[in-house]
Amino acid sequence: MEEVDKIIIHSLKDIGCAISDEVDCLDHFSTNLIIEAASKCLSLITPGLEVPSTLPMNMAARFQVGADIAGACKKLGYTGEVGYQTFLYSNVIEVRRVFMFLIEKLPREQEKTVVVPDEPLLKIKAEIGKAMKVCLGRRLELKDLTSRPFISKALETGITLPGIKNRLPPKAWREYCIKDLPFITEQSNPISTLASLTTVNARGRCDLELTQKSRDNTPTGLIPPRPAPRLRRFNNTWLGIHEHILFSEESVKSPAQKSASSESSLPKRENNDQLLEEKVEDTEEERKKKDRVELESLRARLEELEMSTKSLNCLLVQTNKEIDAEMNSAEQRSVEIQAHNKAIELLADHQTSLEKLDKITSSVKKKLVALAGQWEEHRRPLMEKYRHTKAAALLRENENEKQLETIYSLKEKLESLNKQIANKQLARDKLQEEYDQLPKNIKRSAYTRRILEIIGNIKKQKDEIDKVIKDMKTLQKDTNLLTEKLERSFTVTDDTIFRNTKKDEHSKKAHKFLMTLHSDCADIVSMVQETGATVREIREMEEQIEVESSRNVGANLKRITADLEQMKEENIVLSNQLKMLDT
């Protein structure tokens, strides 16, 4: 295992473990070095995992560190036995297995460590580069949104005037907006949310710019001319409602503003302007009331018409169904009436009608017999031809099925070969990458020579094991043959002697001696088998003793006792501190 240990140590040095040149095998690894190497491997395999690389002074914390490292190894898929004792009270065999597993899991292409520069200019450049990377990542994330079509939908933001939604007063409108109004993201699908918000903001921005321009264009000290009232009817659409709201807002707010401006700018015309404004306000309020009354009446009339149309449609459907049913029943009754009329006509002269019916049936029978003979003449060659074609079709189907099976098998083989080729190509590329990443200054000839020697030794041991197994099988076979032959000879001898026991006394003695000899031989064989079993148990116990001795049980036991004493001392210190805190 020296070559394996050298390879493990070389790999651990490559990932940055501080291993001195004097350490040439895993037997010389200390507990701190094992913890450091395992934590380095785990941090490279899973970059987000935080594993301490040094052992703390507290024994409880040490056990926790060992348990964390063991749990991380199990999460990576290590199937062997691993626990805190594997790293704190190390065994060379278990540590070797763990490090072999972790080295196999190491990433092949490790990222270079970023060195933080000390100069401020270099720091600023590094920060700018990081910010540019983040911005580019965000642009890639927003690429899907820019590629979608710009489809906007009307959104209810809750900032419209009260009473527009369900004709609610301001307080009820506020409660509706707080409790029942859905979020903007729920009013439309995710694809059109951005477009709808953009449309709402653009419309608001346009309204603000228009009002700002109108204010900028108005000279100071003058009253802007009031727009003439609209004479066209109110349009019951979304755009019409929006215009109506804007117009009503302007009409409500403009008189106060204009009166304030008139008071500051034109004091001479104050009374005339106030009278005009009051008249305009009265006319506008009357017009608004009339519009609202008309709108309510139209809505009520529209609802009544909709209800009447629905009821009329239901009546129309029901009457159509009744008409169809009556038409079907009338057709059935007309057919029955025709049959009754024909029967009444025939009953008037039933004798002649029966004679006519007999003549018609006899002529029909003759025609049927003639047609049956003609059909038989035509049927025979057609049936023969049908049988021949059916047999030929079956043969073709069988051939086609065979060909399809061969095609399917060839396709499966081709797919399997393609998969094998792809897997082998991936394995080749992976091995090529690993070969390119390996350092070129290593003396590979020594490693390859040693590996070939190990392979040769393994082959020799395998051949010897096969020979031993073959010899054991032959011996077992010979033993079985001899035992069967012995049993057969014993039965024959027993029969022959037992027959002469009634006539001769010597035969009785010989039979007794034969039985005792057979039982003694059986005891000897059983003792030999028990001896072999005990020898095997002794060998197994010796192997277990060697394994336990290789685990350094004595040294680990001493370390465990020392750690236990340290934990007791720490517990005493902690209990004293708790008592001091209580007092």
Side-chain angles (χ1 to χ4, degrees):
M1 291 295 176
E2 293 179 358
E3 288 80 7
V4 177
D5 292 346
K6 287 180 181 178
I7 293 167
I8 292 169
I9 292 166
H10 181 72
S11 301
L12 294 175
K13 284 182 179 178
D14 288 339
I15 63 174
C17 295
I19 302 172
S20 63
D21 296 332
E22 296 176 356
V23 177
D24 56 353
C25 62
L26 295 179
D27 293 332
H28 300 157
F29 270 39
S30 62
T31 306
N32 291 320
L33 185 56
I34 291 168
I35 295 293
E36 181 185 356
S39 64
K40 282 277 183 71
C41 293
L42 291 171
S43 62
L44 288 173
I45 294 166
T46 55
L49 185 65
E50 295 182 358
V51 180
S53 59
T54 56
L55 284 173
M57 296 300 294
N58 191 1
M59 287 306 301
R62 287 189 176 191
F63 287 128
Q64 186 63 37
V65 169
D68 292 339
I69 294 171
C73 293
K74 286 181 180 178
K75 286 182 181 178
L76 290 174
Y78 184 71
T79 57
E81 293 183 0
V82 63
Y84 67 89
Q85 73 278 359
T86 307
F87 302 100
L88 297 179
Y89 311 106
S90 59
N91 180 12
V92 179
I93 297 169
E94 293 178 356
V95 171
R96 186 181 291 116
R97 289 174 183 170
V98 172
F99 279 133
M100 287 171 68
F101 172 76
L102 293 175
I103 289 167
E104 286 178 357
K105 291 286 183 179
L106 284 173
R108 300 300 178 188
E109 294 182 359
Q110 298 175 359
E111 296 180 354
K112 295 181 180 179
T113 57
V114 180
V115 180
V116 179
D118 296 331
E119 297 180 3
L121 182 61
L122 295 176
K123 286 183 179 180
I124 291 167
K125 286 182 179 180
E127 291 177 357
I128 290 168
K130 289 179 181 178
M132 290 177 70
K133 286 181 180 179
V134 172
C135 292
L136 289 171
R138 289 176 181 173
R139 284 187 66 189
L140 290 172
E141 290 176 357
L142 293 172
K143 191 174 180 182
D144 294 335
L145 293 173
T146 56
S147 63
R148 292 172 180 169
F150 192 86
I151 300 170
S152 64
K153 293 184 179 180
L155 298 176
E156 183 61 59
T157 58
I159 59 174
T160 55
L161 289 175
I164 301 304
K165 186 75 175 179
N166 297 328
R167 301 186 295 278
L168 298 173
K171 188 175 181 181
W173 174 256
R174 194 180 299 109
E175 292 293 329
Y176 169 76
C177 292
I178 292 170
K179 295 180 180 179
D180 299 330
L181 184 66
F183 293 104
I184 291 173
T185 54
E186 296 176 357
Q187 294 180 17
S188 62
N189 53 8
I191 296 171
S192 62
T193 302
L194 182 61
S196 303
L197 289 171
T198 306
T199 305
V200 172
N201 292 329
R203 188 178 288 113
R205 184 65 182 171
C206 290
D207 293 338
L208 288 173
E209 288 180 357
L210 288 172
T211 54
Q212 188 67 32
K213 283 182 181 178
S214 63
R215 288 176 184 174
D216 294 338
N217 293 329
T218 305
T220 58
L222 296 175
I223 300 170
R226 181 177 296 280
R230 300 186 182 182
L231 299 175
R232 61 189 180 86
R233 293 181 64 81
F234 178 70
N235 189 7
N236 193 11
T237 59
W238 184 82
L239 185 60
I241 292 167
H242 190 66
E243 291 177 356
H244 183 68
I245 292 165
L246 293 174
F247 184 73
S248 63
E249 282 185 326
E250 290 175 0
S251 63
V252 171
K253 291 180 181 178
S254 59
Q257 293 174 357
K258 289 183 179 181
S259 63
S261 64
S262 64
E263 287 176 2
S264 63
S265 62
L266 298 172
K268 293 180 181 181
R269 300 182 190 177
E270 185 175 359
N271 295 325
N272 294 327
D273 290 338
Q274 286 179 358
L275 292 171
L276 288 170
E277 286 176 359
E278 287 176 358
K279 288 180 182 179
V280 170
E281 286 178 357
D282 294 335
T283 55
E284 285 181 356
E285 287 178 358
E286 290 175 358
R287 185 176 56 79
K288 286 179 182 178
K289 287 179 181 179
K290 288 179 182 179
D291 290 339
R292 287 172 183 170
V293 170
E294 288 178 358
L295 183 61
E296 293 294 331
S297 63
L298 287 172
R299 283 179 180 172
R301 180 63 179 166
L302 183 62
E303 290 176 357
E304 289 176 359
L305 290 172
E306 286 178 354
M307 294 296 292
S308 62
T309 51
K310 286 180 180 178
S311 62
L312 290 172
N313 286 326
C314 293
L315 288 171
L316 182 61
V317 171
Q318 189 175 0
T319 51
N320 287 327
K321 289 180 180 179
E322 290 177 356
I323 289 165
D324 292 335
E326 291 293 333
M327 291 293 289
N328 293 326
S329 64
E331 288 178 357
Q332 292 177 0
R333 288 173 184 173
S334 63
V335 172
E336 291 177 357
I337 288 165
Q338 288 177 3
H340 283 297
N341 291 330
K342 191 70 175 176
I344 289 165
E345 289 177 0
L346 292 172
L347 285 171
D349 192 4
H350 63 280
Q351 192 67 34
T352 55
S353 61
L354 288 172
E355 291 176 358
K356 287 179 182 180
L357 187 60
D358 291 334
K359 289 178 182 180
I360 290 165
T361 51
S362 61
S363 63
V364 168
K365 285 180 181 178
K366 290 177 182 178
K367 285 181 181 179
L368 287 172
V369 171
L371 289 171
Q374 292 176 4
W375 167 245
E376 191 64 29
E377 290 177 358
H378 290 287
R379 179 176 168 277
R380 287 174 185 172
L382 291 173
M383 288 299 294
E384 291 178 358
K385 189 176 180 181
Y386 171 72
R387 292 191 185 96
H388 288 301
T389 52
K390 190 175 181 181
L394 288 171
L395 289 173
R396 283 198 212 95
E397 285 180 358
N398 292 328
E399 290 177 357
N400 292 329
E401 287 177 357
K402 289 179 182 178
Q403 290 177 359
L404 286 171
E405 287 177 357
T406 53
I407 290 165
Y408 289 147
S409 63
L410 290 172
K411 282 184 179 179
E412 289 177 356
K413 287 180 182 178
L414 184 62
E415 289 177 357
S416 64
L417 289 172
N418 288 327
K419 288 179 181 178
Q420 289 178 4
I421 291 165
N423 293 328
K424 288 181 180 179
Q425 188 68 29
L426 290 172
R428 180 185 172 280
D429 296 337
K430 190 175 180 182
L431 292 171
Q432 185 67 33
E433 290 178 0
E434 292 177 1
Y435 174 73
D436 294 335
Q437 291 173 5
L438 289 173
K440 302 297 186 292
N441 56 0
I442 298 173
K443 293 181 180 180
R444 299 183 182 280
S445 60
Y447 284 107
T448 53
R449 195 183 308 113
R450 184 59 181 161
I451 289 165
L452 292 172
E453 288 176 358
I454 291 167
I455 292 167
N457 293 327
I458 290 167
K459 286 182 178 178
K460 288 180 182 177
Q461 290 176 2
K462 187 179 179 182
D463 294 335
E464 290 176 358
I465 289 165
D466 292 334
K467 286 180 182 178
V468 171
I469 291 167
K470 192 174 181 181
D471 293 337
M472 287 175 66
K473 286 181 179 179
T474 54
L475 288 171
Q476 188 69 34
K477 191 175 180 181
D478 294 338
T479 305
N480 293 330
L481 291 172
L482 289 171
T483 51
E484 290 175 359
K485 189 175 180 181
L486 182 62
E487 289 291 334
R488 287 196 299 271
S489 61
F490 172 72
T491 52
V492 172
T493 308
D494 190 13
D495 290 335
T496 54
I497 294 170
F498 185 72
R499 288 173 187 172
N500 296 323
T501 53
K502 295 178 181 180
K503 300 175 181 179
D504 192 2
E505 291 292 332
H506 296 289
S507 298
K508 288 181 181 180
K509 291 180 181 180
H511 187 266
K512 287 181 183 179
F513 290 144
L514 179 64
M515 295 300 291
T516 54
L517 179 63
H518 183 68
S519 62
D520 293 337
C521 290
D523 294 335
I524 291 165
V525 170
S526 63
M527 289 175 69
V528 170
Q529 290 177 354
E530 289 176 358
T531 305
T534 52
V535 169
R536 283 197 298 272
E537 289 177 358
I538 290 165
R539 287 177 183 173
E540 290 176 357
M541 293 297 291
E542 288 176 353
E543 290 176 358
Q544 289 180 2
I545 289 164
E546 290 178 358
V547 171
E548 292 295 332
S549 61
S550 65
R551 288 182 179 177
N552 298 324
V553 177
N556 289 331
L557 186 61
K558 289 180 181 178
R559 291 172 62 186
I560 289 166
T561 52
D563 293 338
L564 182 61
E565 293 294 330
Q566 187 177 352
M567 286 185 72
K568 287 180 179 179
E569 292 175 359
E570 290 175 358
N571 290 330
I572 292 165
V573 171
L574 290 171
S575 62
N576 292 328
Q577 290 178 359
L578 289 171
K579 288 178 181 178
M580 290 172 67
L581 289 171
D582 293 334
T583 56

